[in-house]
Amino acid sequence: MKTQADHKIILIGAGFISGVHARAIQSLPDCQIKAIVDPNLAAAKALAGQFEIPQCFSHLEEALAAVTFDTAHVLTPPNTHFELVQALLHHGKHVLVEKPMAETIADCDTLNALAQAQGLTLAVNQNFVFHPVMEKAKQYLDANAIGPVKSVSLNYEMPLRQLDSGQFGHWMFRKPVNLLLEQAVHPLSQLLSLFGAPSGPLISRISQIKTLNDQPCILRLDAMGDLAVPFHLSFALGQSFPVWQLEITGEDGSLHLDFIRQRVILNERSRFLPALDTAVTASAMAGSLLSQGFRQLIDYAGAITGFKPSKDPFFLSMQASIRAFYQSIETKQHPIHNATFGRTLVALCHQLAGKSLGAQHLQATQAPRAKPRAMPLTEQRPYDVLVIGGTGFIGRHVVRQLLTAGYSVGIMARHLDALPECFQHPAIQWIQGDVCDQATVDHAVSRATYVINLAHGGGSGDWQAIQHAMVDSARYVALACQSHGITRLVHLGSIASLYLGNDRTVIHSASPVDSAPHHRAHYARAKAMADHMLMHEFSTLDVVLLRPGIVVGEGGLIQHTGIGFFNNSQYFIGWNLGHNPLPFVLVQDVASATLAAMTQPDAKGKTLNLVGDVRPSAREYVAMLRKGLSRPYRYVPQLTLWLYLQELGKWAIKRMAGRHPEIPSLRDLRSRAMNARFDTSGEKRLLNWHPVNDWQVFYQQAVLVHQPPSATAVHSQADQATPAMHNALTPDSSSNKVSAL
C-alpha cells in the first residue's frame, strides 16, 4: 500500500488549468507536488507560492536533473504534448497529459507503444468522463433502469470564449481538425466511455464554417454512426445559449443528462393506467428536479460559507480523473482514460474533420498564414509612430487610421498570430514583447517619433500584480519616451480613473482623478494612479492623456461592464435603475481623437475625456441591442444601495467562513453607475474633434455592426421594406433619442 506522499509529482505548465490540477492533487492523501516547470518563470513562481510548491524551473531538463519524482502532469498547449510526454516516458515517468493526447494519430501510437515498452501508465485527462452527472447516469445504466439501450443522442452547443474575444492565434484555430481536438473531445469522450468506440463507418456533415487565420474553422458538425448502439452527435461552437445534453433511450425508459444544469432525469413507466400515468410520471420528474435543484443550492451555500467542501462539477470531475490515474498506477490496471482511449479520440476527430471537409480540401488548408515577423533589433528601421498594444480593440482602429494618414507604424504586442489582413502592410514593423519588460519597451520606443500607449499590461490577480501591469508599465513607457526625446506620448487611460457617482458633477478636461482611489476596485485604482503618475512625475514630458468612455463598435464587446455586470450573456444587471445617459463613444471616434492628440501643439500636458454626443441610457442601449440583433436581451434595474447591501452580505458570509476578502465599496459602485455628466466642448475645440452625433449612425456603428453577415443582409432588406423599422429609429425632435425601442 502506498504511504503518505508516495507519488512525487511535477507540473509542466503554469496556466489556469495547472491551478486546478494542483488543488486536486493536494486533496489526495498520497501525492506531493515537488516542482513546477514553465518557460515563464514568474508564472511558475506565482503558482508555486499559492500551493507551497518548493521548486520552479524554466525547462524540463532542469527538473529532470534536480528533482526526484515519478509522475508528471503535462499541462501545456497541445502542439507541445508529444515531445514532452516522449521525454518523460524515456526517463521512466508516469504521465497524465491534458487533452488531446497529441496532434496526430501517429504521435499517439508512438507514445502508447513507448509507455507499454517502459511499463508506465500514460493517461489523458478527459475529465468530463468523470463528471458527477456521468457517474449518476452510470448508476442508472448499471441498474438497468431503462432496459437495453436502443439509441443515444448528444447535443453540444456551447460558447467559445476565444472565438468571441478574437483570440485567433490560439492553437485550436491553426488547422480545421484542431477545434475538434480541443473541444469536440469533451462530448465524444463521454459517448465512448459509455458505449465504446465506433464499430463501423461514420456519416458526418459540417453545416457551418467560418474562415479564421485563412483556415476553415468548424463551427457546426453533425455525425451519425454506431457505437454499441446507434448514436447522433450535434456539435456547435460560438453559441450564446449553452446546451450540453445527452439523451439515452432504452426499451423501458429514457435518461436525460444535462451537464450545464447538473441534473439527471429518469423517464419511466408507472404501474397506473395511461390516463393517470402521465400525471404520476410528471410528478415524479418534477420532484426529482426540485430535489436536485435544492441540493445544488445547499451545496453552493455550504461551499460559500466554508461549512462544506466545494461541489463544483468541473473540479469534482478533475479530482476524480486524477484520482483514477493514481489508482491505476497503484493497481497496475489500465484507467478508462488511458492512452488507447486518448488515441481513439484523436483518430475520431481526424476522421470527422476529414470526412466532413474532404481530404483534398483539408490537406490544402494545413499551412496557416505566416504571422508577421518581429524584426531583430539590428534590422529595425525608424518609424513615425510606435503603437503599444496596437492589436487590441482600439489599437486596430488607431493603426488603420494611421496607415490611411500615411504614417509608418511600429506595433508592439505580445502575440502576433491571426491578425487581420490590414496588418499585412509594408508600412508596419513588428516588435514582439511585453509592455512590462522595460528593456523591450526602451528598444521599441528608441526608433519612434511619436508613441501611442494603448496597453494596460494584461493585469489580473491581486492588487500587486495589477499595479505592476498597469502602473509600472505606464512608467516604463514614459521613462523610455523621456530618455529618447520622443516628440509626444499619447497615453490612453479610462474615465474609470474619475469619480462619476454624483449626478450634480459635470466632468470636463480639468477634472482631477478620484480623490479616494483606495476605495475603488483594482482596475479603477490602477488607472487613477497611472494618470496621477504621468501628470506629476513626468511634468516635463510632452504627454497627452486621453480617457475614453464606454467604447463600442466593430470588434468590441456587446456586454460592456459600463452598462452592468453579467451572470450570463442575456441579462444586463445594472449598476442602478438605468435612466441616466451613459458616456458612450464609438471606437472610430476614439481613434480619430488619438491621431489628433498626437500632433495638436496645444494638447501638450492636457487630460482629455473622449465621450461622444450620442449618450443612450443603459435601458436604451439594451433596447437597441434587443431590436438590432433580434436577441432577448434584458436590462435588470436595481438600486445601487441594494446592490451594495447584497455585496456586503456576501462579504459577511465569507468572513464568517474564515476568509479575508476586501470589504465592498459603496463609492466604487456609485461611480460605476456613472451618474455624472460630461462636457466635452473643450476636447472638441482643442482637437477639432467631431464625434458622431446622429443616433441612427450610432445605432448602425455600435449595434448593427455586430450582426452576422447573413443577418446584416436580411436586416438591410427589412430596413428598406419595413416603414416601422424607420419609425422606430426616428430621433425624437425634443430629445434626439431613438424612439419606440
Side-chain angles (χ1 to χ4, degrees):
M1 194 64 164
K2 295 284 180 182
T3 58
Q4 180 74 12
D6 205 15
H7 295 295
K8 298 176 176 60
I9 305 158
I10 68 167
L11 303 182
I12 304 176
F16 161 76
I17 202 67
S18 303
V20 183
H21 275 254
R23 183 178 160 212
I25 291 168
Q26 291 188 345
S27 71
L28 303 178
D30 56 349
C31 299
Q32 182 181 23
I33 307 174
K34 306 296 289 186
I36 299 177
V37 180
D38 195 291
N40 184 344
L41 199 56
K45 288 180 177 178
L47 190 67
Q50 182 181 355
F51 291 97
E52 299 181 351
I53 299 168
Q55 297 190 72
C56 297
F57 302 95
S58 299
H59 302 285
L60 175 59
E61 293 77 12
E62 297 171 354
L64 287 166
V67 180
T68 300
F69 66 97
D70 57 88
T71 308
H73 291 219
V74 176
L75 315 173
T76 55
N79 57 307
T80 66
H81 287 182
F82 176 74
E83 291 186 0
L84 288 169
V85 174
Q86 186 179 48
L88 288 160
L89 293 173
H90 273 303
H91 282 83
K93 313 300 181 185
H94 303 289
V95 179
L96 178 66
V97 59
E98 271 294 331
K99 50 80 188 167
M101 181 175 168
E103 291 185 288
T104 68
I105 303 169
D107 284 349
C108 291
D109 288 337
T110 299
L111 296 178
N112 199 358
L114 180 57
Q116 291 180 19
Q118 296 279 74
L120 297 168
T121 299
L122 170 60
V124 186
N125 184 43
Q126 298 292 166
N127 59 290
F128 286 109
V129 168
F130 300 90
H131 193 285
V133 169
M134 285 285 288
E135 298 300 312
K136 185 66 174 176
K138 290 174 185 176
Q139 293 174 17
Y140 278 124
L141 292 173
D142 290 343
N144 296 314
I146 61 172
V149 176
K150 298 190 300 182
S151 65
V152 180
S153 178
L154 201 158
N155 190 15
Y156 183 92
E157 303 205 10
M158 297 291 286
L160 186 59
R161 176 179 54 82
Q162 294 86 350
L163 186 66
D164 294 338
S165 58
Q167 298 177 28
F168 302 141
H170 194 285
W171 173 85
M172 75 176 86
F173 301 119
R174 295 180 190 174
K175 296 178 184 178
V177 72
N178 286 10
L179 200 64
L180 302 184
L181 291 171
E182 180 76 20
Q183 299 292 331
V185 289
H186 295 317
L188 289 173
S189 68
Q190 294 174 325
L191 281 175
L192 268 59
S193 70
L194 290 174
F195 303 106
S199 57
L202 298 177
I203 300 173
S204 61
R205 180 177 68 93
I206 293 175
S207 56
Q208 186 179 358
I209 297 177
K210 184 174 184 177
T211 302
L212 303 174
N213 197 23
D214 287 348
Q215 292 290 321
C217 177
I218 301 169
L219 296 184
R220 182 174 289 277
L221 177 148
D222 286 279
M224 298 177 64
D226 289 313
L227 303 169
V229 295
F231 81 92
H232 172 251
L233 168 68
S234 177
F235 171 82
L237 292 173
Q239 308 303 302
S240 175
F241 187 77
V243 176
W244 188 351
Q245 298 175 350
L246 177 60
E247 193 78 29
I248 305 173
T249 303
E251 293 283 358
D252 303 295
S254 66
L255 280 176
H256 178 83
L257 316 183
D258 190 329
F259 296 95
I260 301 298
R261 290 161 186 81
Q262 306 171 48
R263 62 194 183 200
V264 180
I265 302 173
L266 172 64
N267 186 14
E268 57 184 343
R269 304 183 186 97
S270 74
R271 67 180 186 273
F272 301 100
L273 292 171
L276 189 56
D277 176 77
T278 300
V280 171
T281 54
S283 299
M285 291 173 63
S288 175
L289 286 174
L290 283 171
S291 174
Q292 292 179 69
F294 277 116
R295 190 180 304 117
Q296 289 177 31
L297 181 61
I298 292 169
D299 289 341
Y300 175 76
I304 288 293
T305 57
F307 294 119
K308 296 180 66 175
S310 173
K311 295 292 186 178
D312 171 54
F314 177 71
F315 174 73
L316 291 177
S317 70
M318 292 286 288
Q319 186 183 50
S321 174
I322 293 170
R323 182 188 298 113
F325 169 66
Y326 284 103
Q327 287 175 348
S328 70
I329 295 175
E330 297 171 9
T331 61
K332 301 188 183 301
Q333 299 293 319
H334 292 299
I336 188 173
H337 51 339
N338 60 22
T340 301
F341 187 78
R343 189 261 188 207
T344 302
L345 284 169
V346 170
L348 187 55
C349 289
H350 279 277
Q351 185 180 0
L352 290 172
K355 280 182 173 292
S356 302
L357 286 172
Q360 188 175 12
H361 177 60
L362 189 64
Q363 292 170 4
T365 59
Q366 289 298 300
R369 182 177 65 198
K371 70 179 182 180
R373 183 172 69 94
M375 298 180 66
L377 295 175
T378 54
E379 297 181 26
Q380 287 179 8
R381 305 177 302 277
Y383 30 75
D384 298 323
V385 187
L386 171 67
V387 183
I388 303 175
T391 59
F393 168 42
I394 297 175
R396 296 185 183 200
H397 290 266
V398 169
V399 168
R400 288 191 187 105
Q401 292 195 22
L402 285 170
L403 294 174
T404 301
Y407 289 99
S408 61
V409 181
I411 301 178
M412 180 178 166
R414 284 176 293 180
H415 305 292
L416 306 182
D417 294 308
L419 296 170
E421 195 65 36
C422 68
F423 283 126
Q424 315 297 320
H425 195 286
I428 293 178
Q429 292 184 66
W430 291 94
I431 306 95
Q432 188 164 16
D434 194 318
V435 72
C436 293
D437 183 341
Q438 190 169 4
T440 303
V441 169
D442 189 79
H443 285 306
V445 168
S446 67
R447 287 169 167 75
T449 301
Y450 303 97
V451 173
I452 298 174
N453 184 15
L454 296 156
H456 63 73
S460 61
D462 60 17
W463 165 243
Q464 286 72 27
I466 292 175
Q467 182 180 20
H468 174 66
M470 297 175 65
V471 182
D472 292 347
S473 67
R475 180 177 285 108
Y476 297 156
V477 174
L479 286 170
C481 291
Q482 194 172 61
S483 174
H484 296 288
I486 295 301
T487 301
R488 173 162 292 172
L489 165 63
V490 180
H491 178 91
L492 268 77
S494 168
I495 60 169
S497 65
L498 305 166
Y499 178 65
L500 307 175
N502 192 333
D503 60 2
R504 295 186 297 275
T505 300
V506 177
I507 302 293
H508 48 77
S509 58
S511 298
V513 298
D514 192 338
S515 59
H518 53 285
H519 289 306
R520 301 289 303 282
H522 291 340
Y523 176 84
R525 180 182 176 187
K527 285 295 185 184
M529 288 182 63
D531 288 3
H532 186 272
M533 178 267 298
L534 287 172
M535 290 296 106
H536 292 83
E537 294 183 25
F538 295 91
S539 56
T540 60
L541 179 65
D542 190 332
V543 58
V544 179
L545 177 60
L546 302 180
R547 297 185 184 123
I550 301 174
V551 186
V552 292
E554 181 188 3
L557 296 173
I558 294 174
Q559 287 88 8
H560 197 293
T561 54
I563 292 87
F565 64 95
F566 309 91
N567 293 327
N568 56 61
S569 61
Q570 183 176 345
Y571 289 90
F572 293 65
I573 302 175
W575 303 114
N576 62 2
L577 297 179
H579 294 294
N580 55 299
L582 293 177
F584 284 95
V585 61
L586 290 170
V587 65
Q588 300 95 315
D589 290 333
V590 174
S592 64
T594 302
L595 265 67
M598 190 175 73
T599 56
Q600 171 54 251
D602 295 337
K604 177 181 178 180
K606 295 290 194 300
T607 56
L608 306 174
N609 303 307
L610 303 182
V611 174
D613 288 340
V614 178
R615 304 175 189 177
S617 67
R619 291 172 181 262
E620 290 167 335
Y621 175 73
V622 175
M624 286 181 179
L625 292 176
R626 184 167 60 248
K627 183 178 186 62
L629 304 184
S630 301
R631 299 283 299 278
Y633 292 125
R634 296 288 184 270
Y635 181 76
V636 181
Q638 56 185 346
L639 293 170
T640 306
L641 182 59
W642 171 239
L643 175 60
Y644 174 68
L645 292 175
Q646 293 177 55
E647 295 301 309
L648 203 60
K650 295 176 188 176
W651 172 84
I653 291 172
K654 292 176 183 178
R655 288 286 296 179
M656 287 189 294
R659 303 192 210 174
H660 300 282
E662 294 186 10
I663 189 169
S665 167
L666 180 58
R667 181 181 182 85
D668 185 69
L669 293 175
R670 282 176 171 163
S671 189
R672 291 183 189 220
M674 291 188 279
N675 285 300
R677 293 166 291 157
F678 281 83
D679 177 1
T680 58
S681 56
E683 285 82 353
K684 294 174 186 175
R685 286 194 303 270
L686 182 63
L687 300 178
N688 191 27
W689 184 48
H690 304 286
V692 166
N693 61 6
D694 185 288
W695 279 72
Q696 199 148 347
V697 174
F698 177 89
Y699 178 68
Q700 178 72 42
Q701 296 184 5
V703 175
L704 298 187
V705 72
H706 293 291
Q707 288 183 326
S710 58
T712 303
V714 172
H715 189 282
S716 177
Q717 295 171 6
D719 225 4
Q720 296 173 9
T722 309
M725 180 67 184
H726 291 288
N727 295 337
L729 291 175
T730 302
D732 182 275
S733 59
S734 60
S735 64
N736 196 36
K737 292 183 179 180
V738 177
S739 60
L741 284 173

